Amino acid sequence: MVLTIDYDDTAVTEWRLTSDGVERTRVDDYRPTMYVGAPVAELYGEHGGPTPRARLPKRGALTDALADVRAFFEGHDAVADLSVDVWRQTFRSDARPVLRVDCRRIEDVRAVARRVHQFGDADAHTCYNVDLTRQLRYTLETGTDPAPDTAVRDLRTMRLGLPAHGSDAAALADLTIDGEPAGATPRAAVEAVAERLAAVDPDVLVVDTARVVPLLFEAAADHGIESFALGREPGYTQLASASTYTSYGQVGHSPARYAVPGRAIIDRSNTFFYDEAGLDGCLDLVDRAGLPLQELGWASIGRVLTAMQIREARSRGVLVPWRAWRPEFFRSATTLDTADRGGTTLAPEVGVHEDVHELDFASMYPNVIREYNVSPETVRCGCCDNDRVPNVGYSICERDGYLPDVLGPLIDGRSEIKRRIRASDDPDEIETLEARSSAIKWILVSCFGYQGFSNAKFGRIECHESINAIARELLLDAKAALEAGGWRVLHGIVDSIWVTPAPDVADAERRPLDAIAGEVSASTRIELEYEAAFDWVAFCPRRGGDGGALTRYFGRRRGEPYPDDGLGDAVKTRGIESRQDDTPAWVARLQAALIRTLDRTHDAEAVCGELATWLGRLDDGAVDPSDLLIEQRVSKRAEQYRHETVTVAALKRAAWKDCALEPGQRVRYLVVDDDARGVGRVRLRHEPLRGYDTAWYRRQAIRAAESVLSPLGWDRERIRRWLSGTRDARLSTY
Amino acid sequence: MNGHCGHDGVELPTLDPGVTLLDVDSSLGVEPLCAVVLDRLLHESGRAFWVDAGGHVRTRTLLQLAPHRRYLDRIATARGFTAYQHASLLDRLPRVVSDAAVDGDPPALVVAPAMDRLYREDDVPREQARELLVGRLATLAGVAREREVPVVLTRHRDDALSEPLAAAAHETYTCRATRFGPRFDAEGGDDETLVYHTGDGWMQTTLAFWREILDHRARAVDAPVDTAGDTARRPSTPAAPATPEGW
């Protein structure tokens, strides 16, 4: 059980928790391993297909082509040892001899893989286990448990805060340690950090931005503090530079990553799971996913899922492919059209509906994977002749797939956590368990989409299509059962279904929902759970179009009290402004107030009256500008945007203010004058915020009001007319 | 050819066995390529093999253009989402075509739109991109030769990487947006100029335009046309909100 693992040239250091500190073990003979295997065409190409039959030379021997590669690398600097191992190169092929290359240093792995491709044609060989992250690799190859042993003691953490816009040594004057200012000058800050490190001896450094690592070391050097170390030994390693990348149309930004000896770093500007689940949730996930803490800190959901798949693959004797060579199979355009439809939705009936009940299939996609044995190597397996996937007719293998084995423990683990939450009355414990549950939930909800992601190590689009096709059938089965039981289906989307008593069925004829749900659960093998009762639910129409929006609604949960402010759990909302990340806080609060008014009065004009009050405060300049800030994720560079939106203005202003933002990062700004040109339209969050553009925010407010009133047939024009009517009326009373 | 309904005798490019490069104005979208593929299926028996790059194939567009949805049963498609997958698909193609031919479904056409597109992504080292692409171009040329079948390519960008595509093509057609409507030209010959006079506002959408032409051509050769299909494409009428009394 390790806290963290450092690489240092040809040696590795393991750090383990002890009751009073850490134990350090230096390992000199660890050599990272990659593999070279069969040509692409043999695995996936002409001889590929459902069950590739790689040609076998005599038992235990390499093919001539691989023997040539072996001869080429003999005596190569980067290579410590060459040997023959037996592995499966895909989930669909049998084990066979591959060339095993033990590299001298971690950096050599990629270099060797690149040389393999230069040595032969780009597709003459396939490489495996090339791009594993270094700590995960070590734990896999040495069989080391990747989780720190918290039974020995709890982890000690230290937080280092740095303002987002500070990028040079001077910013260290604003550094905080566990929330307290560190020192008035960079020198004082460095000294304070050193002092606290000595006192606390933390295991985990939680930093606002990893840039603080080089900044502290540079400032220490500038001020002659030679002994300064952020880790448990001198120095630091830059693992990756900051980069902006495009991956198949998506732009992302990844901040630079650093490591210090003996401590795990969690970068708040580059973490999903720490934000979502806290340190405890992260540790829980380290255990389940087998990804060491520091790597879990910066991992995306996909990376965690991949780590789990890699472990499962390894346990089944399968290597991790470097390049995504495996294509989908040919099928008719008709089948593709059916398969490519996406999640099922039953168009909602626009308007307000009273006495509504929601039922959900529990963890539908993961359960479909598990119960129906959907896995990249089981779908269209080529060995079984069945058409288990409805509508598209794909076969699913009789043999157990690996994906159900990966997800099964997560599904059960989450159920167990939820059971403990129900059983507990300790708020702290509940909070901890909720965080754990949420971290797992993210992996479960993403595993489906990830199957369709082209660069996923073990993804497969036909798998994605099969899950969809099965899920669609389940939803339709549920709909039919509910209708037969005397209920009218108002809306259905992916795994949720909303019903109200069918008006033409007498109450005595109507069957109770739990009875129907129980039957559906039994026949589909996935629990259809009764989610909630609503006094009313409002389904919004599609903006500027016909019919209902699939995912925009809000509904009043029966018996759920309102909090003092906002909606809390009393109203469930989806897709409307207050749910969106980039909606200013003031607009979100306004929308909540309008929904409460609607709930109280059932009257559109009363809602307009409430809106008018809020707009009055806006017009008077009485709204705090910081409540009007907009936060958006930057998707491309300012010059790449086609329209001069306020976001573009904000990006240009950031560049002008010397804190240019990269795609993938977030920008926060206030609209001060939409009619101005260029950088004058907005102010950034860290600038002095005084006035705001009343007319612009008024439009946002009316838009938010339109969402609330649209189920009642009101559009923004009618709201505007009402507002100007009352204003005129008010003026005329003076 | 003139005026409002003047597409009597309109010809789409006649494809010969061998590699044809089709350069389509980006403003014209994927419709001209879809039209060429469907037109081939109207006139020839057998199957079209569509090797797609990153979601170029839009079954919705094909459905809207096809005189009958049955034509989609005759288009076998697989999509590469990485250059590596695309390359594997083309490795697999000769066997897939051969298997279909054995089953009595000879190839009518092979199409590889935006053939160069995925080889431009960051995950392919520059020096490998060209090698992978040229190797698969040779595979396609081999299929064209051995099966005596037309292979239609389009390119994502005209530059050094896609230059081998033009070099491998025995014929290059362009499809340009003109003020008279889309127009096919054979490069290096003026006898193949095909202009569709669409006149003054006849054409509401290019979809409707191509659909009309394909229906017409289907009728001319007695190929199936779905006469009931149009009603299904009509959008539903908006319903008034179902909000109860008292709201």
Side-chain angles (χ1 to χ4, degrees):
Chain A
M1 302 196 94
V2 288
L3 168 66
T4 186
I5 299 139
D6 302 325
Y7 283 70
D8 174 23
D9 198 39
T10 61
V12 166
T13 307
E14 295 177 10
W15 298 85
R16 286 186 167 74
L17 297 185
T18 60
S19 54
D20 55 348
V22 282
E23 176 191 58
R24 172 188 181 286
T25 314
R26 192 176 157 91
V27 180
D28 285 315
D29 59 354
Y30 168 69
R31 297 289 172 259
T33 302
M34 54 87 66
Y35 299 87
V36 188
V40 172
E42 234 174 79
L43 292 168
Y44 305 102
E46 197 188 343
H47 299 278
T51 42
R53 291 258 178 266
R55 276 168 291 186
L56 268 175
K58 52 176 203 300
R59 206 169 185 76
L62 291 174
T63 56
D64 291 347
L66 283 180
D68 289 347
V69 177
R70 180 178 186 155
F72 173 76
F73 280 108
E74 209 73 67
H76 203 282
D77 271 354
V79 173
D81 193 25
L82 292 158
S83 54
V84 182
D85 254 11
V86 177
W87 287 90
R88 294 158 70 193
Q89 295 169 66
T90 74
F91 270 107
R92 290 170 172 250
S93 49
D94 297 333
R96 61 176 297 200
V98 291
L99 176 63
R100 170 182 170 143
V101 185
D102 294 331
C103 298
R104 209 170 278 288
R105 297 169 310 147
I106 186 76
E107 295 82 3
D108 293 329
V109 177
R110 260 169 198 277
V112 168
R114 275 196 294 271
R115 290 291 288 161
V116 169
H117 287 311
Q118 286 161 2
F119 171 73
D121 287 341
D123 52 0
H125 308 284
T126 44
C127 292
Y128 301 89
N129 295 22
V130 175
D131 50 358
L132 309 180
T133 49
R134 49 177 68 193
Q135 294 202 27
L136 172 66
R137 173 189 289 280
Y138 181 84
T139 58
L140 273 177
E141 293 179 355
T142 59
T144 306
D145 186 335
D149 188 0
T150 45
V152 173
R153 64 171 171 81
D154 283 342
L155 292 185
R156 297 191 289 246
T157 60
M158 178 167 142
R159 284 185 297 125
L160 293 175
L162 196 69
H165 56 277
S167 58
D168 55 5
L172 288 177
D174 296 324
L175 184 83
T176 59
I177 304 174
D178 292 328
E180 300 294 318
T185 64
R187 185 193 173 98
V190 172
E191 287 169 344
V193 169
E195 203 171 297
R196 183 69 68 92
L197 284 169
V200 177
D201 188 22
D203 305 301
V204 182
L205 298 174
V206 180
V207 298
D208 277 356
T209 160
R211 278 181 297 128
V212 76
V213 174
L215 283 181
L216 281 169
F217 277 95
E218 283 158 24
D222 286 349
H223 294 97
I225 311 170
E226 302 296 339
S227 62
F228 179 79
L230 205 47
R232 285 174 159 136
E233 278 174 6
Y236 69 97
T237 313
Q238 178 162 7
L239 297 174
S241 320
S243 65
T244 296
Y245 55 88
T246 23
S247 175
Y248 299 91
Q250 289 286 316
V251 181
H253 176 75
S254 44
R257 285 187 281 113
Y258 299 89
V260 297
R263 297 195 164 114
I265 293 180
I266 291 176
D267 178 354
R268 305 273 330 249
S269 75
N270 187 24
T271 181
F272 176 81
F273 286 103
Y274 183 81
D275 273 357
E276 201 55 44
L279 187 61
D280 183 79
C282 284
L283 287 169
D284 182 64
L285 209 51
V286 165
D287 230 15
R288 295 178 195 275
L291 192 60
L293 182 61
Q294 171 149 337
E295 293 179 352
L296 185 99
W298 60 265
S300 61
I301 303 170
R303 186 174 289 279
V304 174
L305 194 52
T306 303
M308 300 180 71
Q309 290 178 314
I310 287 172
R311 286 194 181 272
E312 179 67 25
R314 202 176 168 92
S315 76
R316 293 178 172 224
V318 178
L319 295 172
V320 184
W322 184 27
R323 301 297 196 200
W325 287 103
R326 182 171 59 196
E328 62 183 20
F329 295 148
F330 280 87
R331 60 279 184 77
S332 76
T334 308
T335 304
L336 174 61
D337 187 62
T338 310
D340 210 18
R341 262 191 237 151
T344 310
T345 45
L346 315 168
E349 293 190 27
V350 171
V352 182
H353 303 272
E354 291 177 315
D355 192 12
V356 177
H357 305 265
E358 182 188 351
L359 298 101
D360 292 349
F361 280 106
S363 301
M364 185 189 230
Y365 288 145
N367 274 317
V368 165
I369 291 171
R370 185 194 219 181
E371 294 298 329
Y372 295 80
N373 197 30
V374 181
S375 190
E377 83 285 20
T378 59
V379 173
R380 300 184 84 183
C381 56
C383 52
C384 303
D385 188 17
N386 61 48
D387 51 1
R388 292 220 176 127
V389 183
N391 293 314
V392 292
Y394 298 162
S395 69
I396 291 184
C397 196
E398 308 283 347
R399 283 178 284 183
D400 283 348
Y402 84 88
L403 196 57
D405 279 357
V406 169
L407 297 180
L410 287 183
I411 299 171
D412 294 342
R414 184 152 181 260
S415 303
E416 170 60 19
I417 292 173
K418 284 174 128 180
R419 195 195 54 75
R420 284 172 59 194
I421 291 174
R422 283 193 298 271
S424 173
D425 48 12
D426 171 2
D428 288 344
E429 188 192 8
I430 290 174
E431 194 184 336
T432 302
L433 292 171
E434 293 276 10
R436 287 184 188 183
S437 161
S438 137
I440 300 175
K441 183 195 83 185
W442 280 110
I443 297 176
L444 290 177
V445 297
S446 306
C447 66
F448 158 71
Y450 190 65
Q451 284 302 312
F453 174 52
S454 54
N455 248 337
K457 281 286 175 219
F458 296 104
R460 180 153 177 234
I461 198 129
E462 287 113 317
C463 202
H464 182 92
E465 293 168 356
S466 304
I467 299 165
N468 247 335
I470 295 168
R472 180 186 310 143
E473 208 64 8
L474 297 183
L475 191 71
L476 294 176
D477 287 352
K479 176 175 188 273
L482 287 160
E483 284 171 346
W487 297 85
R488 183 163 146 242
V489 174
L490 294 171
H491 183 28
I493 180 162
V494 186
D495 54 358
S496 309
I497 196 158
W498 283 264
V499 296
T500 189
D504 52 352
V505 176
D507 279 344
E509 305 287 305
R510 207 179 329 277
R511 300 188 54 215
L513 285 170
D514 5 339
I516 303 174
E519 287 161 17
V520 172
S521 306
S523 71
T524 59
R525 286 176 280 151
I526 296 177
E527 203 67 31
L528 181 64
E529 294 176 335
Y530 182 85
E531 178 67 22
F534 295 89
D535 288 337
W536 53 263
V537 175
F539 294 113
C540 305
R542 200 169 295 164
R543 264 190 216 288
D546 305 333
L550 301 178
T551 51
R552 291 177 63 226
Y553 62 85
F554 50 98
R556 176 73 174 95
R557 282 199 180 89
R558 184 167 294 161
E560 193 73 51
Y562 278 110
D564 292 343
D565 200 21
L567 300 174
D569 289 332
V571 178
K572 177 173 181 173
T573 62
R574 287 292 182 274
I576 60 174
E577 285 73 8
S578 54
R579 287 284 294 198
Q580 291 155 12
D581 284 350
D582 56 358
T583 300
W586 180 78
V587 176
R589 282 208 300 274
L590 159 68
Q591 194 169 47
L594 299 183
I595 291 174
R596 286 180 74 150
T597 306
L598 183 68
D599 182 32
R600 200 175 58 245
T601 64
H602 293 199
D603 177 9
E605 298 209 10
V607 173
C608 287
E610 178 74 15
L611 171 66
T613 312
W614 284 66
L615 290 176
R617 283 203 294 275
L618 182 75
D619 289 340
D620 293 344
V623 178
D624 181 350
S626 66
D627 281 345
L628 295 173
L629 285 169
I630 298 154
E631 175 173 337
Q632 260 162 351
R633 191 169 165 276
V634 182
S635 60
K636 42 197 166 183
R637 287 176 208 289
E639 62 275 15
Q640 292 168 323
Y641 282 89
R642 279 167 64 193
H643 303 290
E644 280 289 314
T645 61
V646 282
T647 311
V648 175
L651 291 182
K652 288 183 173 167
R653 189 172 182 93
W656 180 58
K657 288 271 175 185
D658 283 336
C659 50
L661 292 155
E662 295 298 324
Q665 291 186 301
R666 290 182 166 273
V667 59
R668 294 172 189 82
Y669 61 90
L670 177 75
V671 179
V672 293
D673 183 3
D674 192 36
D675 295 331
R677 308 191 107 210
V679 298
R681 290 167 81 186
V682 297
R683 291 292 179 275
L684 303 175
R685 183 179 65 164
H686 60 269
E687 295 186 78
L689 303 175
R690 291 181 199 95
Y692 49 79
D693 186 331
T694 308
W696 194 88
Y697 284 100
R698 191 181 171 84
R699 282 200 299 277
Q700 309 308 309
I702 290 176
R703 200 182 153 86
E706 186 187 31
S707 293
V708 176
L709 290 179
S710 58
L712 282 79
W714 283 58
D715 63 4
R716 69 186 77 170
E717 265 324 301
R718 188 161 170 201
I719 296 170
R720 279 205 193 94
R721 276 202 309 275
W722 190 93
L723 288 169
S724 59
T726 47
R727 190 155 51 189
D728 292 347
R730 206 161 51 187
L731 285 177
S732 68
T733 59
Y734 290 122
Chain B
M1 284 187 272
N2 58 12
H4 291 253
C5 49
H7 39 275
D8 283 357
V10 152
E11 292 297 323
L12 283 137
T14 309
L15 300 170
D16 296 325
V19 177
T20 296
L21 179 65
L22 183 61
D23 259 338
V24 182
D25 265 4
S26 56
S27 65
L28 291 173
V30 295
E31 285 90 339
L33 178 68
C34 292
V36 166
V37 172
L38 289 164
D39 186 55
R40 178 81 185 172
L41 293 178
L42 301 180
H43 291 89
E44 301 285 331
S45 61
R47 189 164 291 252
F49 293 88
W50 183 308
V51 182
D52 198 65
H56 214 82
V57 58
R58 303 242 169 72
T59 51
R60 288 283 122 186
T61 310
L62 284 168
L63 272 175
Q64 282 167 311
L65 289 186
H68 197 290
R69 60 177 306 139
R70 251 190 270 164
Y71 291 98
L72 270 73
D73 294 338
R74 290 172 55 204
I75 301 173
T77 182
R79 302 160 298 170
F81 293 93
T82 67
Y84 302 104
Q85 290 175 348
H86 192 257
S88 303
L89 279 178
L90 287 167
D91 287 345
R92 205 174 266 188
L93 183 72
R95 173 59 66 95
V96 170
V97 169
S98 155
D99 287 352
V102 170
D103 289 346
D105 235 346
L109 168 81
V110 174
V111 53
M115 168 89 182
D116 52 325
R117 181 173 150 193
L118 296 171
Y119 301 85
R120 299 172 184 279
E121 293 286 348
D122 288 347
D123 60 348
V124 191
R126 281 280 151 267
E127 69 278 8
Q128 275 184 33
R130 192 181 165 90
E131 185 194 319
L132 287 171
L133 180 61
V134 170
R136 272 64 198 185
L137 195 55
T139 307
L140 282 172
V143 171
R145 199 171 48 244
E146 281 158 31
R147 300 274 160 193
E148 292 186 32
V149 67
V151 171
V152 178
L153 312 177
T154 70
R155 54 187 166 186
H156 184 61
R157 219 181 289 155
D158 178 4
D159 62 7
L161 182 68
S162 64
E163 190 271 330
L165 271 60
H170 79 282
E171 186 126 49
T172 299
Y173 280 97
T174 58
C175 184
R176 303 272 168 259
T178 73
R179 60 200 177 92
F180 304 111
R183 152 181 166 159
F184 283 102
D185 282 299
E187 204 162 81
D190 43 18
D191 53 324
E192 278 270 25
T193 298
L194 309 160
V195 184
Y196 303 127
H197 288 282
T198 53
D200 22 67
W202 172 86
M203 181 181 68
Q204 305 94 345
T205 66
T206 57
L207 266 176
F209 169 80
W210 292 111
R211 171 74 202 243
E212 184 98 357
I213 287 172
L214 287 164
D215 276 1
H216 183 81
R217 289 169 64 82
R219 287 198 179 90
V221 295
D222 250 355
V225 177
D226 182 8
T227 45
D230 285 333
T231 47
R233 295 189 190 101
R234 205 160 34 84
S236 60
T237 42
T243 308
E245 291 286 311
W247 281 77

